[in-house]
Amino acid sequence: MICNLCPRSCGAERTETAGLGYCRMPAAPVLARAALHHWEEPPISGVRGSGTVFFSGCSLGCLFCQNEKISHQDFGRAVTPARLREVCQALIDRGAHNLNFVNPTHYTHVLAALLSDWRPPVPVVFNTGGYDRVDTLRGLEGKVDVYLPDLKYLDSGAARRYSAAPGYPEIAQAAIREMVRQTGPCRFDDNGLLLSGTIIRHLILPGQVNQAKAAMDWVSRTFEPGTVLFSLMSQYTPWGDLSAYPELDRRLRPGEIRAAQEYMENLGLAGFTQERTSAREEYTPPFDLTGI
């Protein structure tokens, strides 16, 4: 396939066994882990866990990525579409509240085909960095129940410096609008689990509280109350070699977390916040081909 799935539109050839594009992935899905996950937002994780399926490779270049082993180092195993469906069914059989496809942007074609032939009995979650083309997302309409996008930056300079994606702000805003158009307002079952809707995530970065406030302002201005949920994340942990980015080479300060949380409360944004204790390396799942 000649791939233009993500906003980079690199037009690279992706065969079943090799990928020459920015994501470096072949056309066949490469998976690193499939397991029940209990650390998503409460209406996603519930009591039994979210059925997470982690794809390898990435169309972003976030230098602080905690999933570096799979996003940058490409660890994983290629599987057939039939095996992907078996992996998903095994999670459902174990009681997963939903199927949560993590970092799926460059495998949208695989998911569109899978979900055209098979409708899972649980909600489908598209868990993405927010760097998605609207045209690509439209191919998922009616197939995805819950979108879980990041809104990482509203500043192109920061997006360029930290994620090698200078156009990220405008791209993510357009993508999130499309996601909300598809899902409509959040709907829950009798147990408070999300059946459909969009949760917008923002990870606070060290020294970037104003960035978090800008993200919250945009969400508040753009969507009517009750339409979306907002997840303010404080789990940032310094990762990898940050010697060239000393401003990111520390954990968040309590005052930074408190300031962002108070701003969210004052805006009246419905959603979730994290405690500072979430910033631990052990919260990153082990990528060891579990469930693959």
Side-chain angles (χ1 to χ4, degrees):
M1 63 178 286
I2 301 300
C3 186
N4 291 295
L5 289 173
C6 87
R8 296 189 189 276
S9 297
C10 61
E13 183 176 2
R14 296 171 64 186
T15 69
E16 290 300 301
T17 58
L20 301 176
Y22 190 91
C23 69
R24 305 168 305 281
M25 288 292 107
V30 178
L31 310 181
R33 179 180 174 84
L36 297 179
H37 189 59
H38 297 274
W39 302 107
E40 305 285 32
E41 288 76 6
I44 300 291
S45 291
V47 295
R48 297 194 302 269
S50 178
T52 50
V53 179
F54 287 85
F55 290 100
S56 302
C58 190
S59 56
L60 281 169
C62 304
L63 56 90
F64 51 82
C65 182
Q66 292 180 319
N67 294 348
E68 180 182 13
K69 183 175 180 179
I70 64 173
S71 63
H72 296 168
Q73 299 175 20
D74 304 341
F75 174 82
R77 175 180 293 167
V79 300
T80 64
R83 177 56 186 158
L84 174 60
R85 178 168 169 172
E86 291 174 355
V87 166
C88 293
Q89 186 61 56
L91 291 171
I92 294 170
D93 292 344
R94 291 183 59 197
H97 291 299
N98 45 63
L99 285 177
N100 185 348
F101 296 108
V102 184
N103 191 27
T105 296
H106 51 298
Y107 281 118
T108 306
H109 65 295
V110 171
L111 294 184
L114 172 71
L115 299 171
S116 292
D117 295 336
W118 174 58
R119 184 62 190 173
V122 296
V124 172
V125 181
F126 192 85
N127 185 339
T128 169
Y131 195 56
D132 296 280
R133 288 185 63 197
V134 169
D135 286 349
T136 302
L137 291 171
R138 286 177 180 154
L140 296 173
E141 186 163 6
K143 302 177 178 68
V144 169
D145 303 290
V146 176
Y147 281 103
L148 196 58
D150 290 336
L151 181 56
K152 294 179 183 292
Y153 315 100
L154 287 184
D155 176 78
S156 289
R160 178 187 295 107
R161 179 167 172 79
Y162 302 136
S163 293
Y168 179 94
E170 297 78 14
I171 289 167
Q173 287 172 329
I176 291 171
R177 287 192 184 97
E178 172 62 17
M179 294 171 187
V180 176
R181 184 195 69 78
Q182 289 186 22
T183 66
C186 292
R187 294 190 308 111
F188 303 85
D189 69 10
D190 293 340
N191 296 313
L193 293 170
L194 195 58
L195 294 173
S196 63
T198 301
I199 301 177
I200 301 169
R201 288 172 160 175
H202 177 80
L203 175 66
I204 310 168
L205 297 178
Q208 301 278 331
V209 173
N210 285 340
Q211 193 79 239
K213 291 179 178 179
M216 288 186 271
D217 283 339
W218 181 80
V219 172
S220 180
R221 289 194 311 267
T222 304
F223 302 108
E224 294 292 327
T227 302
V228 301
L229 294 171
F230 188 82
S231 183
L232 182 66
M233 306 173 73
S234 54
Q235 68 186 45
Y236 176 83
T237 304
W239 197 267
D241 181 7
L242 294 173
S243 57
Y245 308 90
E247 70 274 21
L248 295 185
D249 199 11
R250 65 170 175 85
R251 295 179 185 270
L252 294 174
R253 300 186 177 110
E256 292 174 313
I257 299 172
R258 187 166 55 250
Q261 290 178 344
E262 289 176 354
Y263 196 84
M264 179 177 170
E265 182 178 354
N266 290 336
L267 271 182
L269 277 182
F272 316 95
T273 59
Q274 286 181 319
E275 298 299 324
R276 191 167 185 256
T277 53
S278 298
R280 299 176 183 171
E281 293 180 10
E282 56 262 36
Y283 285 100
T284 300
F287 297 116
D288 52 7
L289 302 180
T290 291
I292 308 305

